[in-house]
Amino acid sequence: MHRLLTGPRQFGGAAALLLFSMSLLSPAALFAQPSLSDSQVAGRVEALLGQMTLDEKIGQITQVGPGAIGPNGPKPEDLIRQGRAGSVLWTIDSAQIRKMQEIAVKESRLKIPLLFGFDVIHGYKNIFPVPLAMASSWDPGMVERAQAMAAHEASVSGVNWTFGPMVDIARDARWGRIVEGAGEDPYLGAAMARAQVLGFQGPRLGTPNRVVGSVKHFAGYGAAEGGRDYDGCYIPEELFRNVYLRPFQAAIDAGVGTVMSAYMDLNDVPASGNKWLLQDILRRDLGFRGFVISDAWAVASLAVHGYARGPEDAAYRGLTAGVNMDMGSQTYLTHVAKLVESGKLPVSVLDQAVREILAVKIRLGIFEHPYGDPAEKDKVLNDPVHRAATRTAAGRSVVLLRNENNALPLKKTLASLAVIGPIADSAEEIKGSWSVEQGPAVSVVEGLRNKLPNARIEFVRGGDMQRLVPMPWDAAEGKKLPPLMPEAEMRKEVEHAVEAAQRAEAVVLVLGERASMSGEAASRVSLSLPGNQQQLLEAVVATGKPVVVVLLNGRPLDIGWAAGHVPAILEAWYPGTEGGNAIADVLFGDVNPGGKLPVTWPRATGQLPAYYNHNLTHFPEDGEGFTSRYGDFVTAPLYPFGYGLSYTTFRLSNLQLDQKSIAASGALHVSVEVENQGAVAGDEVVQLYIHQRAGSASRPVRELKGFERIALAAGEKKTVRFSLGREELKFWSPEAKAWVVEPEEFDVWIGGDSKATLHSEFRVTQ
Ligand code: BGC
């Protein structure tokens, strides 16, 4: 489908928060869309709808790219003038956006403003860490503030709609899009979904300096078979509701204005033509009231899937299933008129699709304020508060995976340092997939040079890595992959790296993946370190020099060897614009890492899918004899979900439940004391897990049901409180076909990761 793409789609190789609220009070912010009642919105919608011709209605359900499609295709400007386009995607050119919006609101008959949609996923100009990294912060407040800044940058630029948040649960790290979401857990995923929607949109649509969000990809996309992007998903209803839908529910409860339907088959019916999914589940059960946009070209794809008979049938099936707007494929634009005129498609179906789109446009306030704010754009995009916020966010997102004998933090008295790795000096790769406007970023090498201006810092690439096939959009433009460094040269690079290591007091070895190796259409068959990085790693470690591994990657990788041989490993994911500085902050102890893994970290690709909240088995894996173990390898992951170290140590004690028995409609309070026992300040993410011991269905061994990231000064002690009520205890029972809280016994654990040992129990009565 990307073959048809004509507009810019930039993959840039893909949060001073206190000052943030002040930065929102710019003069441009002084308007506010008054909150409109449902009946006021409905009145305005009906008034418009009553005046619309068939073509104008079809226009509202059509999203076009910024350029003409095909050599003789209609120009978007002409379509807009005729009222035959309701939205434009993939442009961030403010002048072009302004021109198109002026055509819509001045030259089209009904003057209905356009929605300009773009993937503002983890920042607009100031790029925050990738979503998987932001989830590693376990700090929804920070995530909300970050997305509010991204929304502000987008809105002054004229982009009033973001295709985020992406909330797909991912249990298989081969799937490249794991980097775009919050990982494997429905509870953490729901917290991140809510935070992002509130950040993008504010407390309601029409909040000044925000945009409308689009929660995606509805739904189950992360369960792609074999981790292959776009591949079919088979998800039983109980798993779907208990795991995959929970973050969507959170986004909808937070008021998300639009939902993006997914590409793939869900239980043999394409998600973008799936009436059960888009109506029964989305609108009836989850209570969604905005409008549905298809994923790019997904309506046309209904025919490609072998589901629709052809494009006309695809238009019919998409619209009747509940996809209000067709992203990019022009299938609605081309076929809906004929469907209505022939009587096959009742005009009431079209009207309903249009109503929901108009209602969002009205609530968003774009009839009153259709444009970006050119006078503010430069100031907002270059706001030092935003840039500083990306550094803070990156520091809060890194996860310290290993730190034997306090190898970290490094001493600032180091006179020499070797920085080695194929992307260690890249100011592009460090931003990860989905970066919008290209602002300058700080590479790891630059960050370390900034931190130690007087030290001798020597950089050596040490080799290379590359995707095997170009990104589809690059291929469409005839772009070839840059050639991989020839083998002989790679061997020389390893030799140079070894020499540089020998000359230096310590080594920072930056390993991982190019940004294009994760994200869309970037699945991998193996989690191995790509290119010659494993050889590089072993050769550098063999020098005997103190080595710190820093990972830049979009998924857990096979780092088993490193975990056995390198004293310190820091997971930085793709940390964004200020990434290099943030990594240096952590390596030299100016920031104490407090991030935790939002995914289970497997030891080997063959362990996939890997997730902590699995059910108990007939022969549990920690038993003897017949167990659910692999016969040829360890079963346990390398690092458990929720795991991450700190430069200090925390002691959790005194787990208290205020009641040991509650009614199904009741709630109990859990408290725990957390003490920083080390010599430096640090953050601990206190995590609460439960397990229902018996019931109408087998329940997961553990499920996250509460967390809080707290900061503790050296020696400080705090009490953290959680509450467990219906929301936390309920599950969708395959027997009852309903949400139930069952009268059973429950375990509760609290700790710093999903292996927490501090334990108590309670009972739910009838
Ligand atoms: C992706 C979506 C994205 C859309 C628009 C699609 O290929 O699957 O996540 O929002 O393109 O860029």
Side-chain angles (χ1 to χ4, degrees), residues 1-2 4-11 63-67 88-93 96 116-119 163 263 295-297 327-328 434 520:
M1 48 222 80
H2 296 285
L4 302 170
L5 178 63
T6 51
R9 172 152 166 154
Q10 298 170 2
F11 289 78
Q63 184 179 56
V64 294
V88 178
L89 82 153
W90 291 328
T91 178
I92 51 166
D93 174 342
Q96 189 187 22
F116 290 90
F118 205 93
D119 296 87
F163 301 136
Y263 281 131
D295 202 339
W297 276 264
M327 185 190 285
W434 287 126
E520 187 175 349

Side-chain angles (χ1 to χ4, degrees), residues 49 52 54-64 83-87 161 291-294 299 315 318-319 323-337 340 345 349-358 361:
L49 194 64
M52 290 170 88
L54 180 60
D55 276 352
E56 286 165 339
K57 290 177 183 173
I58 295 168
Q60 286 308 304
I61 63 171
T62 295
Q63 184 179 56
V64 294
R84 294 175 66 216
S87 175
W161 186 9
F291 77 83
V292 177
I293 170 95
S294 73
V299 174
L319 206 51
V323 173
N324 300 65
M325 189 182 276
D326 167 12
M327 185 190 285
S329 81
Q330 306 208 359
T331 309
Y332 287 174
L333 183 69
T334 314
H335 300 283
V336 170
V340 173
L345 184 81
V349 173
L350 174 60
D351 285 355
Q352 192 52 28
V354 174
R355 275 191 189 97
E356 280 148 1
I357 293 167
L358 290 177
K361 288 186 173 185

